[in-house]
Amino acid sequence: MTGSVFFLHLAGAIALLLWATRMVKTGVERAYGDVLRIKLRSTMRNPLAAVATGAGLAIALQSSTAVTLLVGSFAGSGIVSGIAGQLAVRGAEIGSALVVRLLTFDLSLLVPICLAAGTTMFMATEKREWRQLGRIIVGIGLLILSLEMIGQASEPLRDSRLLPLVIDYFSSDPVTAFLLSAVLTWLFHSSIAAVLLLVTLASRGLIPPELGVVMVLGVNLGSSLIAPLLTRTSPAPVRVVPIGNLLMRGVGSIAVLALFLSFRPPVTLLGATGTDQIVNAHIAFNCLMLVAGIPLASLILKASEAFVRMSTKQEPEPELADVEPTILHDSALKTPHLALGNATREAMRICEIIEVMLARIFELYEAADQKGIDALARLDDRVDRRHARLKLYLARIDPAEMTEDDAQRCSELLGACVKLEQVGDIIVRNMLVHVRKKVQHKLEFTGEGWRELAAFHAAVLANARLAFNVLVSRDATTARQLVAEKDRLRDTEKDTARRHFARLREGSVRSVETSTIHLDTIRDLKQINSLLASIAYPVLEERGLLNNSRLRAAS
């Protein structure tokens, strides 16, 4: 096998490993993301529970970085404390290491089972939850398959005359090997993928265990850099937990490397084989970071907060789009297609604000504070101002200069603008009232009721994003999907109401106390979904896909 063919096979196997890891991660996020977020928020008050929850989430999401970003956003919103966030991240690192341990077993028989079962599940139904579960299972199968492919692709290295020279160089220069593995991990954006690559190569005898331990420490350094770099432009509070993880795990990996090179402990203490030694070194390091991180949590939190303050500009950050120059230029009014382009861009700004409002209102349902409530009300004021400007701008376009298509687009934008303003009003005038009532009376939903609301809200938020895409792209396929989702959501509402009344009949105290808020919230979300779905009607009507306000069968 030539060198170019070898690298092609190895690159393909590594690409499949990264893709499979992403498939599992996104599948879990789409199917169970809201449930996992709720679980994380509800268990972060107890330090041990925070560690266990972080580990469980990392195993489910196949990524400690995803957990770090999630916990960082919660800490930034004040939902969890900085110390609890750090402990959850420590647990996530251990969970990520345990995933590596699991994947080192011989799981080759699972490949055809996972591929067959997952594909069948994905293609046999249109239910989102089952399709995402099928995606997860297929991802697991591809993940195991990619490890086999990496092993097969690396076989020619056994006979390579160049490899021993490269290994000897890195063995004599462990700092370079440490930094190289850190860079590779950052490029992979996955410590799981990086450690699995090292394990596969070590199982073929291509990497000596001592060098493998050094590179595992480099993997941990590289992994600790990912979240801080991804959040470097985020608000300061969101960056505290990722920076704290870098200070603890990144600095810890450098300290452990120095100790390892100074004392040269026998790696046989970590296991009998090279594979076990590398994996156990990864697990032992993250367990050590957890043990050391508990007493150092307060110190690390103060240091990370100080670092974030020093690296953040002191002037207050501008509110979303408040300082952006207007794009509704009067000079374009004489050229309708230019003016409509400007109006479309302004409408998308309104869509962005509505999406933020729709996401934040549900966060307030779970953990409300006056600052968050006031901020949401200000967003609605911004929507009202932009709606008024856009409406007047569209009215000033000269009708005599517009073609029939221009006139239709103008009507679409005006209708969408009105609907978006109505959505903002529902969020602030209805749902925000429910939030205040829930806080005032200290009400709590039942676990089942909250999961139903979370799932319903997630579906509406997903449909909102579809509607915003339709407004720009005018894509008929997306428009059909949006209206079909409206019908599906109507059936979901009926099932939700039926289950809620069943809990009322059973005499659930919390169901009785929150009944009005529960049903009114479902009604408000359904009304929002209907308003957003109606954005698709002009596109479908133009293509003859509507029949008495209902979708025609696809031809």
Side-chain angles (χ1 to χ4, degrees):
M1 181 184 293
T2 63
S4 58
V5 174
F6 159 72
F7 282 114
L8 181 62
H9 280 279
L10 185 60
I14 294 174
L16 181 61
L17 173 63
L18 298 175
W19 177 254
T21 304
R22 178 178 174 80
M23 274 190 72
V24 176
K25 173 178 170 291
T26 56
V28 172
E29 286 177 340
R30 293 173 184 175
Y32 310 108
D34 290 303
V35 175
L36 293 176
R37 289 180 178 89
I38 293 168
K39 183 66 175 175
L40 176 62
R41 293 179 182 182
S42 63
T43 57
M44 291 290 282
R45 297 178 182 88
N46 184 302
L48 293 179
V51 173
T53 303
L57 283 174
I59 293 172
L61 294 173
Q62 301 278 287
S63 172
S64 59
T65 300
V67 179
T68 303
L69 296 174
L70 183 61
V71 172
S73 68
F74 288 164
S77 302
I79 296 173
V80 302
S81 68
I83 291 179
Q86 288 187 61
L87 293 178
V89 172
R90 299 275 69 75
E93 307 296 357
I94 293 176
S96 176
L98 293 177
V99 170
V100 175
R101 171 80 277 177
L102 178 64
L103 292 174
T104 57
F105 296 124
D106 184 8
L107 304 174
S108 56
L109 184 60
L110 289 179
V111 173
I113 296 175
C114 289
L115 294 181
T119 302
T120 301
M121 193 176 297
F122 187 88
M123 300 184 67
T125 179
E126 292 298 322
K127 290 186 177 180
R128 181 181 298 176
E129 295 81 3
W130 284 100
R131 287 173 68 88
Q132 293 305 325
L133 181 57
R135 176 190 180 92
I136 294 168
I137 294 174
V138 169
I140 293 172
L142 292 177
L143 183 58
I144 300 170
L145 177 62
S146 67
L147 297 177
E148 296 180 8
M149 290 177 61
I150 291 173
Q152 294 171 2
S154 61
E155 280 294 331
L157 290 177
R158 290 176 181 269
D159 302 322
S160 171
R161 288 177 292 180
L162 178 62
L163 182 64
L165 299 177
V166 174
I167 296 300
D168 287 343
Y169 171 76
F170 283 124
S171 296
S172 62
D173 188 1
V175 174
T176 300
F178 173 79
L179 295 176
L180 176 63
S181 59
V183 172
L184 287 176
T185 304
W186 180 81
L187 291 174
F188 287 173
H189 271 41
S190 171
S191 61
I192 292 177
V195 176
L196 286 174
L197 178 60
L198 293 178
V199 167
T200 304
L201 295 177
S203 67
R204 293 322 196 258
L206 302 175
I207 297 179
E210 292 80 4
L211 179 60
V213 171
V214 169
M215 298 188 76
V216 159
L217 294 174
V219 167
N220 283 277
L221 172 62
S223 180
S224 67
L225 289 168
I226 299 171
L229 290 174
L230 291 177
T231 58
R232 64 187 182 278
T233 59
S234 299
V238 176
R239 298 168 55 206
V240 171
V241 169
I243 291 295
N245 184 44
L246 174 60
L247 293 178
M248 187 68 211
R249 193 181 180 200
V251 174
S253 65
I254 296 173
V256 172
L257 174 68
L259 291 173
F260 181 78
L261 296 180
S262 299
F263 295 98
R264 299 283 181 176
V267 294
T268 53
L269 296 174
L270 295 170
T273 65
T275 297
D276 290 339
Q277 290 161 3
I278 290 177
V279 175
N280 291 339
H282 186 44
I283 296 174
F285 170 79
N286 285 288
C287 288
L288 176 62
M289 291 300 100
L290 172 61
V291 173
I294 293 175
L296 294 176
S298 297
L299 179 62
I300 293 296
L301 178 61
K302 291 178 182 178
S304 57
E305 289 175 339
F307 182 87
V308 169
R309 282 196 300 270
M310 287 189 298
S311 61
T312 304
K313 293 182 180 180
Q314 295 302 312
E315 61 269 16
E317 295 183 7
E319 292 287 340
L320 177 64
D322 267 358
V323 298
E324 294 179 4
T326 180
I327 54 178
L328 299 178
H329 302 298
D330 291 347
S331 59
L333 290 171
K334 295 181 181 180
T335 311
H337 72 276
L338 294 179
L340 291 172
N342 292 340
T344 300
R345 291 167 59 195
E346 182 69 11
M348 290 313 300
R349 288 183 174 180
I350 298 176
C351 289
E352 292 172 359
I353 301 173
I354 291 295
E355 182 175 353
V356 171
M357 292 178 66
L358 193 54
R360 286 186 182 176
I361 185 61
F362 212 66
E363 294 176 0
L364 292 176
Y365 265 74
E366 187 170 6
D369 59 87
Q370 191 58 46
K371 181 180 178 181
I373 292 174
D374 294 342
L376 193 65
R378 288 195 298 271
L379 286 176
D380 184 55
D381 293 339
R382 198 178 310 161
V383 170
D384 291 342
R385 291 195 300 270
R386 289 189 175 276
H387 165 256
R389 287 201 298 264
L390 179 55
K391 183 171 58 176
L392 291 175
Y393 187 78
L394 289 171
R396 292 170 59 198
I397 300 177
D398 187 357
E401 298 293 330
M402 286 194 287
T403 65
E404 184 177 347
D405 289 340
D406 289 338
Q408 181 176 346
R409 181 58 174 166
C410 182
S411 176
E412 285 181 22
L413 289 172
L414 183 58
C417 182
V418 171
K419 293 178 179 67
L420 292 171
E421 194 267 343
Q422 291 173 341
V423 169
D425 287 343
I426 292 172
I427 293 173
V428 171
R429 298 178 185 177
N430 293 1
M431 299 182 72
L432 205 52
V433 172
H434 305 330
V435 169
R436 292 191 178 101
K437 180 178 179 181
K438 180 176 178 290
V439 173
Q440 180 182 358
H441 296 285
K442 299 180 180 179
L443 302 177
E444 293 293 337
F445 295 105
T446 64
E448 184 179 358
W450 178 250
R451 286 191 293 271
E452 290 171 359
L453 287 177
F456 203 89
H457 171 264
V460 174
L461 185 59
N463 291 343
R465 290 162 181 157
L466 286 178
F468 302 154
N469 290 338
V470 169
L471 183 59
V472 176
S473 67
R474 304 190 81 251
D475 177 64
T477 302
T478 307
R480 284 184 62 89
Q481 181 183 352
L482 180 59
V483 177
E485 283 293 318
K486 176 186 175 183
D487 293 339
R488 187 187 69 81
L489 207 65
R490 183 175 58 248
D491 295 334
T492 302
E493 181 209 10
K494 294 177 182 177
D495 292 339
T496 300
R498 176 180 51 78
R499 287 192 293 268
H500 177 72
F501 284 117
R503 290 192 295 273
L504 291 179
R505 285 192 293 270
E506 293 171 358
S508 171
V509 176
R510 284 198 290 177
S511 291
V512 173
E513 291 175 340
T514 60
S515 178
T516 301
I517 297 178
H518 184 104
L519 295 176
D520 286 349
T521 299
I522 292 293
R523 180 203 63 200
D524 293 335
L525 288 172
K526 181 187 175 186
Q527 187 176 358
I528 289 172
N529 190 75
S530 297
L531 287 168
L532 295 172
S534 63
I535 292 176
Y537 291 162
V539 177
L540 296 173
E541 186 175 7
E542 179 184 339
R543 290 162 175 77
L545 296 174
L546 281 181
N547 184 21
N548 295 326
S549 300
R550 303 288 293 180
L551 279 172
R552 285 182 178 174
S555 56

